[in-house]
Amino acid sequence: MRSLRIIPKKQRVSFPPIRLNMRLFLIFLICLTVAVIAFFIIIFKYSALNTFEEQQKKEEKKEKILFQLTDQLQTKNIKSDNINVIASTIKPINNTYPALDFLVANAKGDVIFRTNNIHIHTKNVRDMLREKLTLYSSNNRVSNTTYSSFISPVSFRDGLGYLIMDSSTSKLTINPAQYNRQIYIAFGCSVLIFILLFILCMNPITRYIKQIEQGIRRIVKKDWTYSIPVKGKNELSSLATNINWMTEQLRQRFEREREVEQAKNELMTNLSHDLRTPLTSIIGYLRLVKDQQYNNEQERQHYIETTYNISLKFKNLVDELFEYTKLSLSDVEAQFQQVDLNGVLYQLVGEYTPIFESQDLRVHLTIPDKPTLASIDIEKMVRVFDNLLSNAEKYSYKSSDVKIALQKSLNQVIVSISNETHYIEPEELDKLFERFYRIDKARSSTVSGSGIGLAIAKRIVDLHEGEIWAESEGNRIIIYVTLPLPPDTKEKETIYEDL
């Protein structure tokens, strides 16, 4: 089987973009060149110089005819009185050029032959020779027309003669005023051509500039959804691209500010709600004690203990709010160190096991046998797992299972904590890690919590360049925490195993 050789298609040649200043210069140069060409075309086509040149050509043609006729007469070698031969030689030329008149004279100046030309007949040949080409006027001629005479010597057998040719012609003069007027007209036409052509060539550029200007006006009016079309590859297209980028940055900044403002309003609302509730309870119990509205000392002691417990919750809420604010600062730092996550989880789950068992919850911990070393801030990461375990204890069904598992991949560690609770909609799962967010089913006086714990956990995981998210499988919710492993962790784990 023959193999087919694939011939690549001809690649399209891409030319480098022309800079705007170079493009403007080329437009100006092209328009100027066209205007200059138009100026000289008008000058040479409609100028008096052109008419003058045409008259010169006509005069040269007449001289050529005279010389040809002289050669013909001399070639025939006739006598000066052979009128028939002279007439037969001249009349065909005269019939061909009726505007020309001819006269033949001998050396004495006597006329031998002439055509119907009274103007030459009245002059003496010797005077004409002496005066050369003298112009004469006649009452029978038009006032702006003169006559030109051409004289050529002819050799006859009996002596020298003269062949004289006379014709009407216009004056070969140039009027300076008319010539200057034509120069001005040509210059004006060329300037007009330059302006029109320049406007025509500049129209796409000016139209695009106007479009950019209108786009900027819309952006100034906070229409940040508008995008200026990017045309070509020059400074204007680059300007449009930068303006669009700036508009996008402004839009994102505005949305962030709006989100911050909304979050601030929600913070104030939730904070006032969560602070007002325990504070109201504290004031109420203290008023009962202050007004001695109790039946016995045991009831008074109960009021004091309740007030104390509510105060502790109030303090925890303020502490969590302060901690979240501190973690939200841009200059917050973490103290990283190599820690075995297996031991950390084992210790935390051991501390929470009695609490889970008191709520009739069964704990299942799954961790690998080998140590799992990770670079973390131990104090902050313990807070993350503590918050997750605390939520699992608060919101789990009675007599259900709480599962904690740790897995390790090549470049990260995955910790999952799952428990059975009310079904959570998928759109609410992403909101669990927002500050002060609590699902409506969970917002009750029987379940304590500020709604900041998961937000604090997310902020700490972000500081570790990890991820935290929630998934649901029916009534079971699973929260995943991933932490990156440093490149040298595998080597350290191998050393640890050898020991």
Side-chain angles (χ1 to χ4, degrees):
M1 182 176 179
R2 295 180 60 184
S3 61
L4 298 178
R5 185 166 59 99
I6 300 175
I7 302 176
K9 294 182 178 180
K10 185 178 180 180
Q11 296 182 353
R12 186 177 179 181
V13 179
S14 59
F15 297 96
I18 301 177
R19 297 180 62 86
L20 183 60
N21 54 357
M22 183 60 66
R23 185 177 179 183
L24 295 176
F25 175 75
L26 290 177
I27 290 176
F28 176 81
L29 187 61
I30 292 173
C31 295
L32 181 62
T33 303
V34 173
V36 171
I37 293 174
F39 174 79
F40 284 106
I41 289 176
I42 295 173
I43 286 295
F44 288 111
K45 188 172 183 179
Y46 301 101
S47 173
L49 289 175
N50 190 23
T51 304
F52 184 78
E53 291 178 356
E54 291 178 358
Q55 292 296 332
Q56 282 186 329
K57 291 180 180 179
K58 290 180 180 180
E59 297 299 319
E60 291 175 356
K61 185 177 181 180
K62 292 176 184 179
E63 291 181 355
K64 185 177 181 180
I65 293 173
L66 178 64
F67 295 150
Q68 290 178 353
L69 187 57
T70 302
D71 291 340
Q72 291 179 9
L73 290 175
Q74 292 184 154
T75 303
K76 292 182 179 182
N77 193 19
I78 60 175
K79 292 184 179 181
S80 61
D81 57 353
N82 195 345
I83 299 175
N84 293 330
V85 177
I86 295 173
S88 62
T89 305
I90 295 177
K91 282 184 178 181
I93 302 298
N94 185 243
N95 293 333
T96 305
Y97 303 99
L100 301 179
D101 294 323
F102 298 93
L103 182 145
V104 180
N106 56 23
K108 297 179 180 180
D110 298 330
V111 176
I112 301 173
F113 172 82
R114 67 178 177 84
T115 58
N116 297 326
N117 192 331
I118 58 174
H119 177 72
I120 297 179
H121 181 68
T122 58
K123 290 296 297 178
N124 186 275
V125 176
R126 293 180 179 178
D127 295 336
M128 295 179 66
L129 291 173
R130 188 167 46 250
E131 296 176 4
K132 299 294 183 180
L133 298 175
T134 304
L135 301 179
Y136 298 90
S137 62
S138 174
N139 294 330
N140 297 330
R141 309 291 182 177
V142 184
S143 59
N144 62 350
T145 303
T146 58
Y147 290 85
S148 60
S149 298
F150 301 88
I151 302 174
S152 175
V154 181
S155 298
F156 294 106
R157 291 173 55 185
D158 54 352
L160 183 65
Y162 298 97
L163 176 61
I164 302 172
M165 183 180 67
D166 187 65
S167 66
S168 61
T169 182
S170 301
K171 294 181 179 180
L172 300 179
T173 58
I174 299 178
N175 189 344
Q178 182 181 2
Y179 181 75
N180 292 336
R181 191 183 309 113
Q182 291 177 346
I183 291 292
Y184 294 149
I185 293 174
F187 181 76
C189 292
S190 61
V191 170
L192 183 62
I193 292 173
F194 174 82
I195 294 174
L196 293 178
L197 189 60
F198 188 78
I199 292 175
L200 182 64
C201 295
M202 287 293 296
N203 188 45
I205 298 177
T206 54
R207 187 169 60 248
Y208 189 38
I209 293 175
K210 187 175 181 180
Q211 189 176 10
I212 294 176
E213 179 187 3
Q214 293 174 352
I216 294 175
R217 290 181 179 178
R218 294 183 61 175
I219 294 171
V220 169
K221 295 179 181 179
K222 296 184 178 181
D223 185 6
W224 293 327
T225 59
Y226 178 76
S227 179
I228 300 175
V230 179
K231 301 178 182 179
K233 293 182 179 180
N234 51 36
E235 286 83 351
L236 291 180
S237 61
S238 178
L239 175 62
T241 302
N242 291 332
I243 292 175
N244 292 336
W245 178 83
M246 179 190 68
T247 305
E248 180 64 20
Q249 295 298 316
L250 289 174
R251 185 186 64 80
Q252 294 179 2
R253 180 177 179 182
F254 174 75
E255 291 180 354
R256 286 196 299 269
E257 290 179 353
R258 184 170 58 184
E259 292 175 357
V260 169
E261 185 67 21
Q262 184 178 359
K264 183 178 70 174
N265 294 334
E266 293 178 356
L267 172 64
M268 297 302 296
T269 302
N270 295 329
L271 185 61
S272 61
H273 178 274
D274 289 329
L275 293 180
R276 182 175 55 189
T277 301
L279 188 60
T280 303
S281 299
I282 292 173
I283 294 174
Y285 282 110
L286 290 177
R287 182 180 291 112
L288 292 176
V289 175
K290 175 178 176 295
D291 297 338
Q292 297 182 357
Q293 296 181 8
Y294 50 86
N295 297 325
N296 49 45
E297 183 64 23
Q298 184 178 1
E299 187 175 359
R300 186 181 74 87
Q301 188 66 27
H302 174 70
Y303 288 163
I304 294 175
E305 291 180 359
T306 304
T307 304
Y308 177 75
N309 293 331
I310 296 175
S311 300
L312 291 178
K313 295 179 180 179
F314 184 81
K315 179 180 180 299
N316 292 333
L317 176 62
V318 175
D319 290 341
E320 287 186 345
L321 179 62
F322 176 75
E323 183 178 1
Y324 178 80
T325 304
K326 183 172 65 176
L327 289 172
S328 300
L329 297 177
S330 58
D331 57 348
V332 62
E333 296 181 356
Q335 304 296 327
F336 293 98
Q337 54 182 325
Q338 293 289 337
V339 178
D340 181 15
L341 289 179
N342 295 357
V344 174
L345 283 178
Y346 189 82
Q347 181 178 353
L348 284 174
V349 172
E351 294 175 358
Y352 267 89
T353 298
I355 301 176
F356 286 139
E357 291 178 350
S358 65
Q359 300 294 331
D360 198 15
L361 298 175
R362 295 178 295 274
V363 181
H364 301 275
L365 175 63
T366 304
I367 57 177
D369 296 331
K370 299 178 181 180
T372 304
L373 298 179
S375 179
I376 61 174
D377 187 318
I378 181 62
E379 181 180 354
K380 290 182 174 60
M381 192 54 60
V382 166
R383 180 61 188 272
V384 173
F385 297 137
D386 183 71
N387 288 346
L388 297 180
L389 293 173
S390 176
N391 279 358
E393 181 267 329
K394 292 176 184 177
Y395 301 112
S396 294
Y397 287 152
K398 299 297 182 181
S399 300
S400 61
D401 296 329
V402 177
K403 299 179 180 180
I404 301 99
L406 185 148
Q407 301 176 17
K408 184 180 66 172
S409 63
L410 293 177
N411 55 359
Q412 65 181 0
V413 177
I414 304 174
V415 178
S416 61
I417 299 176
S418 65
N419 63 289
E420 294 183 13
T421 183
H422 297 286
Y423 175 73
I424 301 176
E425 298 292 339
E427 59 271 10
E428 290 185 331
L429 290 175
D430 297 333
K431 299 180 181 180
L432 287 178
F433 302 96
E434 296 178 3
R435 56 187 178 186
F436 291 105
Y437 182 80
R438 297 174 66 188
I439 300 175
D440 293 338
K441 295 178 181 179
R443 182 179 286 280
S444 63
S445 58
T446 59
V447 180
S448 61
S450 62
I452 308 180
L454 292 180
I456 293 174
K458 184 178 186 308
R459 179 57 182 162
I460 293 175
V461 172
D462 290 340
L463 288 175
H464 286 75
E465 298 182 354
E467 293 184 54
I468 182 172
W469 72 94
E471 296 179 0
S472 62
E473 297 177 358
N475 290 335
R476 178 167 290 276
I477 181 173
I478 309 171
I479 297 180
Y480 293 93
V481 177
T482 63
L483 298 173
L485 287 175
D488 58 345
T489 299
K490 186 174 182 180
E491 180 181 354
K492 291 184 178 181
E493 288 180 353
T494 303
I495 299 174
Y496 185 83
E497 291 173 7
D498 295 338
L499 294 176

